[in-house]
Amino acid sequence: MDRQQLSRLAHAHHPIAAPLADGSVARLLDRALAGQESGRALDLGCGEGAWLLRALAARPDWRAVGVDLDAEALTRARETATALGVVRRIGLHHLDAREFTAKEPFDLVLCVGATHAFDGLLPTLAAARELLAPGGRLLVGEGFWEREPSQAALDGLGATREDFADLATTTDRVLADGWTPVYGHVSTAREWDDYEFSWTGSLAEWALDHPDDPGAAAAREAADRHRAEWLHGYRGTLGFVTYLLRRD
């Protein structure tokens, strides 16, 4: 079972691929779209298009583009867009986000939980800068250290100490790169726990319900390993912040 299929199964009941509750997503989108009756949005690493589809359902004069490497996730995004009646207002591209280009800039660019596609936060900001219209907004989600990581936390994440910084340093880096936070949300412990239990539980339940599937053992092993890495490693250590940014 490949990584993309594992991710789809794990996010079956939590389509936002980040530790954010529905209310948090709604508030972030309301702020990101505020004051703009019409516009163009781009999601780099859109998965099944959850952010864009919510935006289009709430804003009938907006259009959107989603980019992702998971072809099946894009198919599901298109099916959901059809069901919601917004499919004519969304374009979906099966492409590495680093390779995406556009003739016209976007009023809103999103990259929440997908900065790894650009090898980190600052390269993501650089890529977004090239795609954002003057006065546009960037919604970007990134991890940070809630506390000094233990070796167990680093091992569980497959990370090094330098992969993230604390919240203050992370924000300072954003400011130094020429961006101003105009809103933000730090995921709560409850949001993290809900996300991780949903991720591991959805995957484990699929394995229990499909014992004869060739991928069942791999799915169960991935769920058990991830749960242990979270509970015995990085729980309470890795935080997640979603910034709404504008360029200086």
PDB file of all heavy atoms in Angstrom, residues 64-80:
ATOM      1  N   ALA A  64     -11.503  28.521  -8.228  1.00  0.00           N
ATOM      2  CA  ALA A  64     -10.407  27.892  -7.494  1.00  0.00           C
ATOM      3  C   ALA A  64      -9.628  26.917  -8.364  1.00  0.00           C
ATOM      4  O   ALA A  64     -10.144  26.373  -9.349  1.00  0.00           O
ATOM      5  CB  ALA A  64     -10.953  27.153  -6.266  1.00  0.00           C
ATOM      6  N   VAL A  65      -8.375  26.699  -7.934  1.00  0.00           N
ATOM      7  CA  VAL A  65      -7.486  25.726  -8.576  1.00  0.00           C
ATOM      8  C   VAL A  65      -6.831  24.908  -7.467  1.00  0.00           C
ATOM      9  O   VAL A  65      -6.356  25.467  -6.472  1.00  0.00           O
ATOM     10  CB  VAL A  65      -6.399  26.426  -9.422  1.00  0.00           C
ATOM     11  CG1 VAL A  65      -5.373  25.405  -9.924  1.00  0.00           C
ATOM     12  CG2 VAL A  65      -7.030  27.169 -10.586  1.00  0.00           C
ATOM     13  N   GLY A  66      -6.816  23.596  -7.645  1.00  0.00           N
ATOM     14  CA  GLY A  66      -6.152  22.714  -6.698  1.00  0.00           C
ATOM     15  C   GLY A  66      -5.073  21.911  -7.387  1.00  0.00           C
ATOM     16  O   GLY A  66      -5.234  21.488  -8.532  1.00  0.00           O
ATOM     17  N   VAL A  67      -3.972  21.697  -6.680  1.00  0.00           N
ATOM     18  CA  VAL A  67      -2.826  20.975  -7.228  1.00  0.00           C
ATOM     19  C   VAL A  67      -2.431  19.877  -6.245  1.00  0.00           C
ATOM     20  O   VAL A  67      -2.268  20.137  -5.046  1.00  0.00           O
ATOM     21  CB  VAL A  67      -1.622  21.918  -7.451  1.00  0.00           C
ATOM     22  CG1 VAL A  67      -0.447  21.162  -8.061  1.00  0.00           C
ATOM     23  CG2 VAL A  67      -2.022  23.101  -8.319  1.00  0.00           C
ATOM     24  N   ASP A  68      -2.269  18.657  -6.740  1.00  0.00           N
ATOM     25  CA  ASP A  68      -1.861  17.561  -5.872  1.00  0.00           C
ATOM     26  C   ASP A  68      -1.300  16.422  -6.707  1.00  0.00           C
ATOM     27  O   ASP A  68      -1.629  16.274  -7.893  1.00  0.00           O
ATOM     28  CB  ASP A  68      -3.045  17.050  -5.033  1.00  0.00           C
ATOM     29  CG  ASP A  68      -2.596  16.373  -3.747  1.00  0.00           C
ATOM     30  OD1 ASP A  68      -2.261  15.176  -3.786  1.00  0.00           O
ATOM     31  OD2 ASP A  68      -2.562  17.053  -2.708  1.00  0.00           O
ATOM     32  N   LEU A  69      -0.465  15.600  -6.062  1.00  0.00           N
ATOM     33  CA  LEU A  69       0.131  14.445  -6.742  1.00  0.00           C
ATOM     34  C   LEU A  69      -0.738  13.201  -6.660  1.00  0.00           C
ATOM     35  O   LEU A  69      -0.464  12.205  -7.336  1.00  0.00           O
ATOM     36  CB  LEU A  69       1.508  14.134  -6.129  1.00  0.00           C
ATOM     37  CG  LEU A  69       2.684  14.951  -6.650  1.00  0.00           C
ATOM     38  CD1 LEU A  69       3.932  14.644  -5.828  1.00  0.00           C
ATOM     39  CD2 LEU A  69       2.937  14.648  -8.127  1.00  0.00           C
ATOM     40  N   ASP A  70      -1.773  13.224  -5.829  1.00  0.00           N
ATOM     41  CA  ASP A  70      -2.624  12.050  -5.623  1.00  0.00           C
ATOM     42  C   ASP A  70      -3.804  12.120  -6.589  1.00  0.00           C
ATOM     43  O   ASP A  70      -4.772  12.849  -6.373  1.00  0.00           O
ATOM     44  CB  ASP A  70      -3.109  12.018  -4.177  1.00  0.00           C
ATOM     45  CG  ASP A  70      -3.843  10.723  -3.837  1.00  0.00           C
ATOM     46  OD1 ASP A  70      -4.315  10.037  -4.763  1.00  0.00           O
ATOM     47  OD2 ASP A  70      -3.946  10.408  -2.645  1.00  0.00           O
ATOM     48  N   ALA A  71      -3.739  11.317  -7.657  1.00  0.00           N
ATOM     49  CA  ALA A  71      -4.776  11.358  -8.684  1.00  0.00           C
ATOM     50  C   ALA A  71      -6.138  10.932  -8.139  1.00  0.00           C
ATOM     51  O   ALA A  71      -7.173  11.503  -8.508  1.00  0.00           O
ATOM     52  CB  ALA A  71      -4.375  10.456  -9.857  1.00  0.00           C
ATOM     53  N   GLU A  72      -6.164   9.929  -7.269  1.00  0.00           N
ATOM     54  CA  GLU A  72      -7.442   9.478  -6.735  1.00  0.00           C
ATOM     55  C   GLU A  72      -8.068  10.530  -5.839  1.00  0.00           C
ATOM     56  O   GLU A  72      -9.289  10.721  -5.835  1.00  0.00           O
ATOM     57  CB  GLU A  72      -7.272   8.168  -5.963  1.00  0.00           C
ATOM     58  CG  GLU A  72      -8.608   7.583  -5.516  1.00  0.00           C
ATOM     59  CD  GLU A  72      -8.501   6.172  -4.985  1.00  0.00           C
ATOM     60  OE1 GLU A  72      -7.567   5.446  -5.399  1.00  0.00           O
ATOM     61  OE2 GLU A  72      -9.359   5.784  -4.177  1.00  0.00           O
ATOM     62  N   ALA A  73      -7.248  11.223  -5.054  1.00  0.00           N
ATOM     63  CA  ALA A  73      -7.775  12.308  -4.216  1.00  0.00           C
ATOM     64  C   ALA A  73      -8.388  13.395  -5.088  1.00  0.00           C
ATOM     65  O   ALA A  73      -9.450  13.954  -4.751  1.00  0.00           O
ATOM     66  CB  ALA A  73      -6.673  12.886  -3.345  1.00  0.00           C
ATOM     67  N   LEU A  74      -7.770  13.712  -6.206  1.00  0.00           N
ATOM     68  CA  LEU A  74      -8.314  14.718  -7.109  1.00  0.00           C
ATOM     69  C   LEU A  74      -9.623  14.248  -7.730  1.00  0.00           C
ATOM     70  O   LEU A  74     -10.549  15.047  -7.931  1.00  0.00           O
ATOM     71  CB  LEU A  74      -7.295  15.039  -8.202  1.00  0.00           C
ATOM     72  CG  LEU A  74      -6.014  15.733  -7.730  1.00  0.00           C
ATOM     73  CD1 LEU A  74      -5.039  15.886  -8.891  1.00  0.00           C
ATOM     74  CD2 LEU A  74      -6.314  17.085  -7.097  1.00  0.00           C
ATOM     75  N   THR A  75      -9.713  12.950  -8.017  1.00  0.00           N
ATOM     76  CA  THR A  75     -10.967  12.407  -8.544  1.00  0.00           C
ATOM     77  C   THR A  75     -12.085  12.581  -7.525  1.00  0.00           C
ATOM     78  O   THR A  75     -13.209  12.970  -7.861  1.00  0.00           O
ATOM     79  CB  THR A  75     -10.797  10.914  -8.883  1.00  0.00           C
ATOM     80  OG1 THR A  75      -9.836  10.787  -9.936  1.00  0.00           O
ATOM     81  CG2 THR A  75     -12.117  10.303  -9.333  1.00  0.00           C
ATOM     82  N   ARG A  76     -11.781  12.316  -6.268  1.00  0.00           N
ATOM     83  CA  ARG A  76     -12.783  12.494  -5.217  1.00  0.00           C
ATOM     84  C   ARG A  76     -13.153  13.961  -5.063  1.00  0.00           C
ATOM     85  O   ARG A  76     -14.312  14.299  -4.815  1.00  0.00           O
ATOM     86  CB  ARG A  76     -12.265  11.927  -3.898  1.00  0.00           C
ATOM     87  CG  ARG A  76     -12.078  10.411  -3.918  1.00  0.00           C
ATOM     88  CD  ARG A  76     -11.716   9.881  -2.552  1.00  0.00           C
ATOM     89  NE  ARG A  76     -11.468   8.452  -2.588  1.00  0.00           N
ATOM     90  CZ  ARG A  76     -11.221   7.710  -1.516  1.00  0.00           C
ATOM     91  NH1 ARG A  76     -11.184   8.279  -0.320  1.00  0.00           N
ATOM     92  NH2 ARG A  76     -11.012   6.413  -1.628  1.00  0.00           N
ATOM     93  N   ALA A  77     -12.167  14.838  -5.192  1.00  0.00           N
ATOM     94  CA  ALA A  77     -12.449  16.276  -5.125  1.00  0.00           C
ATOM     95  C   ALA A  77     -13.410  16.683  -6.238  1.00  0.00           C
ATOM     96  O   ALA A  77     -14.364  17.447  -6.004  1.00  0.00           O
ATOM     97  CB  ALA A  77     -11.150  17.068  -5.229  1.00  0.00           C
ATOM     98  N   ARG A  78     -13.186  16.155  -7.432  1.00  0.00           N
ATOM     99  CA  ARG A  78     -14.055  16.476  -8.569  1.00  0.00           C
ATOM    100  C   ARG A  78     -15.468  15.935  -8.340  1.00  0.00           C
ATOM    101  O   ARG A  78     -16.465  16.611  -8.653  1.00  0.00           O
ATOM    102  CB  ARG A  78     -13.457  15.906  -9.852  1.00  0.00           C
ATOM    103  CG  ARG A  78     -14.153  16.360 -11.124  1.00  0.00           C
ATOM    104  CD  ARG A  78     -13.394  15.922 -12.359  1.00  0.00           C
ATOM    105  NE  ARG A  78     -12.117  16.626 -12.477  1.00  0.00           N
ATOM    106  CZ  ARG A  78     -10.929  16.059 -12.244  1.00  0.00           C
ATOM    107  NH1 ARG A  78     -10.842  14.804 -11.865  1.00  0.00           N
ATOM    108  NH2 ARG A  78      -9.827  16.779 -12.388  1.00  0.00           N
ATOM    109  N   GLU A  79     -15.566  14.740  -7.779  1.00  0.00           N
ATOM    110  CA  GLU A  79     -16.881  14.158  -7.499  1.00  0.00           C
ATOM    111  C   GLU A  79     -17.633  14.993  -6.461  1.00  0.00           C
ATOM    112  O   GLU A  79     -18.841  15.242  -6.606  1.00  0.00           O
ATOM    113  CB  GLU A  79     -16.716  12.719  -7.014  1.00  0.00           C
ATOM    114  CG  GLU A  79     -16.220  11.761  -8.086  1.00  0.00           C
ATOM    115  CD  GLU A  79     -15.834  10.399  -7.534  1.00  0.00           C
ATOM    116  OE1 GLU A  79     -15.771  10.248  -6.296  1.00  0.00           O
ATOM    117  OE2 GLU A  79     -15.600   9.471  -8.343  1.00  0.00           O
ATOM    118  N   THR A  80     -16.938  15.422  -5.428  1.00  0.00           N
ATOM    119  CA  THR A  80     -17.576  16.245  -4.401  1.00  0.00           C
ATOM    120  C   THR A  80     -17.974  17.594  -4.973  1.00  0.00           C
ATOM    121  O   THR A  80     -19.055  18.118  -4.662  1.00  0.00           O
ATOM    122  CB  THR A  80     -16.637  16.437  -3.199  1.00  0.00           C
ATOM    123  OG1 THR A  80     -16.218  15.168  -2.711  1.00  0.00           O
ATOM    124  CG2 THR A  80     -17.333  17.196  -2.082  1.00  0.00           C
TER     125      THR A  80
END
